[in-house]
Amino acid sequence: MAILLIHGGAWSMPDELVGAHERGIRNALGAGWRVLKSGGCALDAVEAAVRSMEDDDTFDAGRGSFLTSDGRVQCDALMMDGATLRAGGVGCVEHIRNPICAARKVLEESPHVYFVAEGAERFAAAHGIELIDNCELVIEREREHLRAAREKAAQGQEFEIFAHSHDTVGAVALDANGNLAAATSTGGTLNKTPGRVGDASLIGCGTYADNQSAAVSTTGWGEPFMKLVLGKWAVDRIAAGASPEEAAWAAMDYVKSRLKGHGGIILLDRSGRIGMAHNTSRMAVGCRTPDREWCGVKLERPSQPA
Ligand code: ASP
């Protein structure tokens, strides 16, 4: 049975942004599900879902991403194929509208796994991806956010809510042939130093897929997730017998207790069981199966056995 599970960030999303997140999640579920419904593969489905969210300014991926400290959009993305363990990633790209499509090209058409900056852009261009001006990815809302973050930083303070905002996007899918895939795309964190790469596009940190166990995508403060290789940590717990739901909540407890990390995670195992968890007040998530479409911004933690 085919399943698509996606996220669009985990943070203390204000009420007025909930509608835009839910719309973006529904559109992305539609885009990914069209692929799976017509018998398409999990890789195509996660690419379509993530691409739809990159094209939506609501999220911190593609156009509308957070800006670096020097006012540019700089994106990271990774895709992984659970059937073959092939992976493709790009980091610090500034001239690509859909970084996930460049990541797909790396996965399909390169013996390497990861390209960064100009090298990634040259590779993408050589494989048919149009390069665009960085200003096409920058929106006024994010110029405002950067201005506010800099003002706060000059006063030695943090830019409260947006300092903890995580609008990275991701998808995991299981197709009719039993293959898993995962994809994650991000503009990183607000006011980041140019050249910084987060967890989202690093194998095993923010994204992983293995047909023998599960597929994962995360969102959150990337540095703690990277230090704990959190995505693979969660997948390994599923391989060791935990359910995806148990592994998801355990991962968020682990990153919080060990490194005060915050964010969210989605997991899908090879038998189609799903897990989603966050330790922020909200997380934008959606799921589509042949019988059901669901989307929301808050998850209830299952009660622990006494
Ligand atoms: N995890 C991403 C990063 O650190 C940011 C996010 O999820 O919003 O780059």
Side-chain angles (χ1 to χ4, degrees):
M1 178 179 79
I3 299 186
L4 176 65
L5 178 63
I6 67 177
H7 72 80
W11 54 295
S12 47
M13 193 179 293
D15 290 346
E16 62 273 20
L17 296 186
V18 168
H21 280 78
E22 287 183 342
R23 259 192 312 282
I25 290 282
R26 282 195 198 285
N27 288 339
L29 281 177
W33 189 252
R34 271 192 291 283
V35 172
L36 291 176
K37 200 172 88 178
S38 56
C41 69
L43 272 176
D44 286 339
V46 293
E47 183 180 358
V50 166
R51 185 181 177 149
S52 160
M53 292 186 279
E54 287 177 336
D55 286 338
D56 184 333
D57 291 1
T58 305
F59 302 103
D60 175 29
R63 193 182 131 87
S65 288
F66 285 145
L67 302 182
T68 57
S69 57
D70 61 358
R72 300 171 69 77
V73 164
Q74 201 172 76
C75 295
D76 312 324
L78 184 93
M79 282 186 80
M80 189 157 178
D81 176 9
T84 59
L85 301 187
R86 283 179 309 163
V90 293
C92 298
V93 292
E94 296 189 348
H95 303 100
I96 297 178
R97 189 175 301 285
N98 293 108
I100 202 64
C101 300
R104 178 72 186 267
K105 293 283 183 194
V106 176
L107 185 154
E108 297 281 359
E109 296 180 37
S110 167
H112 307 305
V113 166
Y114 204 93
F115 286 84
V116 295
E118 293 89 346
E121 292 175 352
R122 273 202 301 276
F123 178 88
H127 289 82
I129 291 186
E130 183 199 359
L131 298 187
I132 58 167
D133 202 287
N134 191 258
C135 64
E136 288 190 44
L137 302 174
V138 177
I139 62 171
E140 191 46 38
R141 178 195 71 209
E142 293 310 321
R143 287 202 186 95
E144 278 301 317
H145 285 159
L146 183 62
R147 264 194 289 276
R150 280 183 182 149
E151 263 170 40
K152 288 281 182 191
Q155 296 158 13
Q157 295 166 13
E158 252 189 338
F159 180 27
E160 260 313 305
I161 180 166
F162 290 102
H164 300 293
S165 152
H166 300 292
D167 260 334
T168 288
V169 303
V172 290
L174 178 69
D175 63 29
N177 293 321
N179 289 320
L180 287 167
T184 312
S185 181
T186 188
T189 47
L190 175 59
N191 201 21
K192 68 182 179 183
T193 304
R196 176 261 189 197
V197 172
D199 63 313
S201 68
L202 298 182
I203 288 195
C205 298
T207 310
Y208 199 77
D210 183 348
N211 274 7
Q212 293 187 1
S213 47
V216 63
S217 174
T218 68
T219 177
W221 177 25
E223 280 72 8
F225 283 55
M226 287 154 78
K227 290 171 189 169
L228 297 175
V229 197
L230 198 69
K232 182 67 162 54
W233 183 93
V235 163
D236 285 347
R237 287 180 84 94
I238 294 172
S243 71
E245 185 162 52
E246 287 161 354
W249 289 102
M252 297 324 298
D253 288 346
Y254 179 45
V255 73
K256 186 169 184 181
S257 63
R258 191 76 204 272
L259 292 171
K260 298 191 173 63
H262 49 258
I265 189 168
I266 57 174
L267 284 159
L268 173 61
D269 79 1
R270 62 187 180 148
S271 44
R273 296 179 304 166
I274 64 171
M276 309 177 265
H278 56 110
N279 60 16
T280 49
S281 58
R282 282 176 163 158
M283 177 174 185
V285 281
C287 181
R288 182 75 206 251
T289 70
D291 327 311
R292 188 165 170 247
E293 178 177 296
W294 174 86
C295 118
V297 292
K298 174 110 186 98
L299 301 169
E300 287 309 321
R301 185 177 190 139
S303 48
Q304 312 270 1

